[in-house]
Amino acid sequence: EWPLRPGKQVIICGFRSYRNEVVVEPFHPHHNWVVGRNGSGKSNFFLAIQFVLSDEFSHMRPEQRQQLLHEGSGPRVVNAYVEITFDNTDNRIPIEKEEVTIRRVIGFKKDQYFLDKKNVTKTDVMNLLESAGFSRSNPYYIVKQGRINQMAVAPDSQRLKLLREVAGTRVYDERKEESLGILKETEGKIEKIDEFLQYIEERLKTLEEEKEELKEYQKWDRMHRSLEYTMYDKELREVREKLDGIDQQRLEEGDRTKDLHIHLSTTAAEIKFLERDLKELEIKGATKRSERDQLAEERQLQIRNRAKLELDLKDLSDIVDDDATTKGSSAEELGQVEEQIKTAQATLDTVVPQFHEQKGVEESCNSQLRINEQRRAELYAKKGRNLEFTDEKKRDEWIRSELKSYGSNLSNKEEQQKSVEKEVADTKEKITSIEEDIKERTDNLEERKKEIEETNKELGEAKIQRDEVQNKRKDLWRQDSNFEQSLSTSKEQLDEAERQLRSTVSKAFNNGIDAIKKIVREKNINGVYGPLIENFKCNEKFFTAVEVTAGNRLFYIIVDTDKTASQILSIMNKNKMSGEVNFLPLNRLSYKEVQYPTSNDVISMVSKLEYNQIFKPAMETIFGKTLICRSLEIASQYARNEHMDCITLDGDQVSRRGALTGGYYDKRKSRLDSQRQVWYWQAKLQEEEANAGKIKTEMEEVDAELTKLVSGVQKLETKQIQLRETYERQKMDVQNLTVERRQLEKHLDSKMKTKLSLEGDLTALRGTVASLQQELGTELLSQLTEDEQGEVKRLNKDISQLQSKIRDSLEKRSKLEVEKNMYENLLASNLFKRRDQLLSNIDELGMSERRQEFDSKGAEFEQATTGMEATKKRLDWLEGEMEVYTKKCKELATKIENKLSKEREIQDSIEEESKSMEKMANKRAVKLRKKEEVMRKIRELGSLPADAFEKYQNMSTKELWKLMNKCNTELKKYAHVNKKALDQFVSFSEQKEKLIERKKELDKGLDAIKNLMDVLEHRKHEAIQLTFKQVSHFFTEIFKKLVSGGTATLVMKRSEFDEEGSSLPLVEQFTGVGIKVSFSGKVSETKEMQQLSGGQKSLVALTLIFAIQKCDPAPFYLFDEIDQALDPQHRKSVAELISKQSDTCQFITTTFRPELVQAANKHYGVIYRNKVSHVQQVSMEEALDFIEDEAPDK
């Protein structure tokens, strides 16, 4: 059982009328019914399932694919897919999953299958479905609309064809076709063999006749070949003798060439050392030359700088002299101005007291004048009161009123007087405070002036120190530049040496060593000592022997333990790092102490190596069983006797197992020499890096000192600026305070005048008040009293005198004021300003930085002069050194040239020897070819007679040629004889036997193929018979269930020639399958298919389909309107049958009849809306309503 269980679903998108993705509700495990109007997409739903499961939609053209895509309004659909999910809890599909999803996607140019979202082939899907029960030989698990009608009207032969498909005879047919092909091929081969055997028989008869003549011919031929052998043998002995002579001569030439190669290697080594010395001298010379060029440029800069400093110093000298002259003239003028100020101040001191005295007299007279005039006015007013007032009472009221007014004025004046007095006192106090402040600030100005001068001095000294350190840093920079250049050259030489060493080993070894170095560096692994070649040293004369002995083992990596080696290999494999790596783990290397022979002719190789004792296991493993021998003969002797590997200094080896290897070894490509060069340049580089490090350390110290000095200079310059700003600010403050004092003095004079005026006003007011108080209560008279009249006269006299006195005093004061103003203006506007200006100029000149700058420039000039002299001295020394280096370089170049000339001479000699050797080699090659030719001719003679080796050996060449001519004459008589007749006879006989054996094998194969074809035919016949019996049985059984009391049988129809001895194959005797039914059960009413009505035919056809399905059951069935032509009672029977069979399998059906609807377990409706189909679950009532609406009779 394998139904589509609940929770599994069908998804359709873009297929035919299903534009959007439609997810069908989970199917019921038994009977499912689908309903929908014609054209709604119901058939498309069945077609979609068939699209995935059946083999019908195969090998489609693009236009056929397009027909399966949705065509409607909106964007064009370019892809469509149908997905079916199966329940696999019983593992019927051979996949370890409880659910299996199959999706088919189709487009204009693609057709893909997906199994659980993985792309698979169509064959994989079809095989998978067939293994699950969807048999391709029984396509009737899907019954489309109209298929029942086709079955009902199908002829008997069509039903036989269907039966053969169900029986699976396709496999037998395919095997039969293959067998027929093989049969035809075998018959063709047998025919060809027969033809060839006939040809061989004819040829053997002809060769039998030629054998007699061949015997006589062979007699003379044997004699001819014996003579040829004798002549060839003599010629071969002569060639061998000449070859021995040439070989001996070659050995002698080889020894001479070997000596020349040794001499050439020695000369090349000497040239290499001389070139290295020359390279070092050139590097030193280049360094010195670079330093000389730098110093030359620096000296030019120093000359220009010194010339500039000299000009600046001259300009500053002129400026300083001008400043001194200006300061002297300013001081002289200041003395004159001071003298003028003194004279003017003395005169002013005389005039001012007189001026103030006259001013005091004038003010006193004016005050008294105002009082007298006030008293006189009061007396005149008193005299006229009788005209103003009628009685004393009114007068007294007026007096009281006036007294009140005067009292108020008097109080105001007294307040004003107190305010003015207070203001005068405050102003005097301010003036005193300002004068003290001016004195204090003036004293501070002197202190600031001293500080500025001291700061200028310190700044000059700091700049001199800074310049000295800067010059020192320049020298260090120059040295550092020379070291950097030398370092760069050494690095290039080291890189070249390392490249030379790397070129002597394969890329795989280099990659492996690089990978190990990277791993050790990144993982910080201890116990890795590097390649073997880096861990020992030896004398140069043993280089060749050591290199040949070790070979590529020189680059094996020495490690402390095998665990370390495993760790490195694990990291390399993990990171996929390429390269070949071989390890020498010291803890796993074992060796035995070897007793070396004591002889002057041999020495152990390991004893000539210098290495750390911890590497002894590795050294003993590689070199412990090797002896260095004086010659190849001695090496052969000791290898045989001592059972040890031996090697000469030239690299010729004799293995303890007997093998001997050697040849020319180019010492110019020595690995150990390359490693020595690497070590040399590494040591030199380390030394230069150490020196450069010292210079850089000293540069850092100098930079720190210079930074400190520059910072000090900056601080002093800042301090200098701040002091000057403070000085200028305090100087400006003194000037401002002086101006403020003068303004306060003017203000004080003004207030003093106001004070005197107020005092006069108060005196007059008090007199008026006293006079009014005296008048108060007196008798109102028309005339003054006598005393008052006398007082008036006296007042008039005093007023006249006072006015006269005031005029005299005013005249004197005016003259004195003019003189006072003149001197004051002279002092304030001229002399004082000039004095201040001169003092300021003198102060400026006293604090001027020009002198300091002059001194600083002088120091710089001296430093520049000293630097120029030092540079010149260094340049002279460098020139001397350059001459020495140039001389040495020329000497070395001469030596190298001599050595190169000697090397060329040796090479020419070697070339001459090579040419001579080549000539001998050519001669030897000619002789060898001659030897080979003679030996070939001897071999071509074939098998010789037994007496051929001795019979003619004692004959001369002349006698041999005479016999040879006789043989040739006799052989000419048999020129027409087939000389290969005997061979051909034997060959053809062998071929005949092989062909006969081959024909027997093909005959056996032919019989086996025919037997197989007969067996296939019988099995196909049996399969059809068995299938027919099963289908016939189920057909009768199912018809009885559908038609109560009815009977039905299937009849196998045979050919009319089906009788004993018929030549027709068994299967070909069947011509069709007939049907006989009786709906009443009576034999007399039995009818064949053609005699039934349409409904009866459909029922019989449906019965046959059910029988076929029961014979070969499928997991589920799709029926599309199979009950369309059935009568109502038969539709009910079909519905009951489907309902019963749905217990073991799943049905998905569609119909417009109520019988199947009522028998279904779940119902689905197909709706066509906006030219797009949709599928949704509906209830049975809704389904029945739809059937009623869509009934055919309505």
Side-chain angles (χ1 to χ4, degrees), residues 676-704:
R676 184 174 62 177
Q677 293 296 323
V678 169
W679 281 333
Y680 174 81
W681 288 110
Q682 283 178 344
K684 189 169 182 62
L685 186 63
Q686 289 176 357
E687 180 185 357
E688 292 176 350
E689 285 177 346
N691 293 332
K694 291 179 182 178
I695 292 296
K696 289 188 181 297
T697 303
E698 192 174 352
M699 283 177 62
E700 291 175 358
E701 294 174 355
V702 170
D703 286 339

Side-chain angles (χ1 to χ4, degrees), residues 756-770:
L756 291 174
S757 176
L758 287 172
E759 288 177 351
D761 292 342
L762 284 172
T763 303
L765 281 173
R766 289 190 185 103
T768 302
V769 168

Side-chain angles (χ1 to χ4, degrees), residues 620-635:
E620 290 287 348
T621 300
I622 304 300
F623 306 107
K625 292 188 177 181
T626 302
L627 295 175
I628 300 175
C629 302
R630 191 179 300 277
S631 66
L632 192 60
E633 291 77 10
I634 295 172

Side-chain angles (χ1 to χ4, degrees), residues 460-502:
E461 293 174 354
K463 286 183 176 179
I464 291 172
Q465 277 186 311
R466 180 196 63 189
D467 294 340
E468 290 176 353
V469 174
Q470 282 181 338
N471 291 333
K472 185 177 180 181
R473 184 174 66 172
K474 288 180 181 178
D475 293 338
L476 290 174
W477 277 348
R478 186 166 54 251
Q479 294 179 32
D480 183 62
S481 176
N482 293 336
F483 276 117
E484 288 293 336
Q485 184 178 358
S486 180
L487 275 172
S488 176
T489 306
S490 297
K491 286 179 181 177
E492 291 176 1
Q493 293 298 320
L494 177 60
D495 292 340
E496 179 61 30
E498 289 178 344
R499 279 195 298 272
Q500 183 66 28
L501 179 61
R502 290 172 68 89

Side-chain angles (χ1 to χ4, degrees), residues 19 88 233 272 276 303 596 615 794 818 1015 1031 1057 1099-1100:
R19 176 182 178 82
N88 194 34
D233 185 57
K272 185 183 291 184
R276 189 181 71 185
I303 291 171
Y596 298 106
F615 303 133
R794 182 177 55 80
V818 169
V1015 169
V1031 173
F1057 303 99
L1099 180 63
V1100 172

